[in-house]
């Protein structure tokens, strides 16, 4: 069964690049990907923080954060 | 056609976790993944550096580096 993966981003160039490269290219048999734009949905920032996300773009899989390069600090989105 | 993606790592816990999460979970229709252990194959370090890799674990896709979290600096592997 596919595991849930949340991709958090903020529309920044680094974010969009990572989204195009990875968020749309994970094996659908392995991951069920949800894409969350934290600039547009600030109500999800707390959830990202609680999963250990410090910057975007980042995936959270199995409760663990995976930061991909550095686009923007989460603290700058609040 | 699948695009070449090189996953560079050094056997560190962060590397192995990222490898298990992502290197084996990319859509095979999108990516043809090569896994390179820079601790065991130091001859590939220069190539990683030239692609902009500064730390492992990292993917290089289309000539661009994608660092995932931080396991070890490339400079510490030389």
């Amino acid at each position: 069964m596919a595991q849930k993966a949340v991709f958090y981003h903020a529309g920044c160039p680094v974010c969009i690049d990572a989204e195009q490269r990875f968020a749309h290219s994970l094996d659908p048999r392995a991951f069920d990907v949800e894409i969350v734009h934290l600039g547009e949905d600030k109500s999800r920032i707390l959830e990202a923080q609680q999963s250990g996300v410090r910057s975007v773009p980042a995936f959270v899989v199995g409760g663990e954060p995976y930061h991909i390069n550095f686009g923007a600090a989460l603290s700058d989105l609040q």
Side-chain angles (χ1 to χ4, degrees), chain A:
Chain A
M1 197 183 129
Q3 184 173 21
K4 180 78 179 281
V6 184
F7 179 76
Y8 295 101
H9 75 109
C12 58
V14 172
C15 294
I16 292 169
D17 184 44
E19 180 182 347
Q20 291 174 342
R21 284 285 188 216
F22 294 105
H24 298 303
S25 300
L26 290 170
D27 190 337
R29 292 169 299 184
F31 291 118
D32 174 21
V33 180
E34 179 188 10
I35 293 174
V36 177
H37 189 317
L38 291 176
E40 293 175 353
D41 191 353
K42 290 181 185 290
S43 69
R44 304 283 298 268
I45 291 178
L46 180 62
E47 157 204 311
Q49 277 178 327
Q50 288 175 339
S51 297
V53 174
R54 287 168 290 131
S55 63
V56 288
F59 281 97
V60 171
V61 184
E64 297 296 321
Y66 297 90
H67 303 90
I68 299 180
N69 289 340
F70 179 87
L74 213 63
S75 55
D76 289 336
L77 302 178
Q78 290 173 311

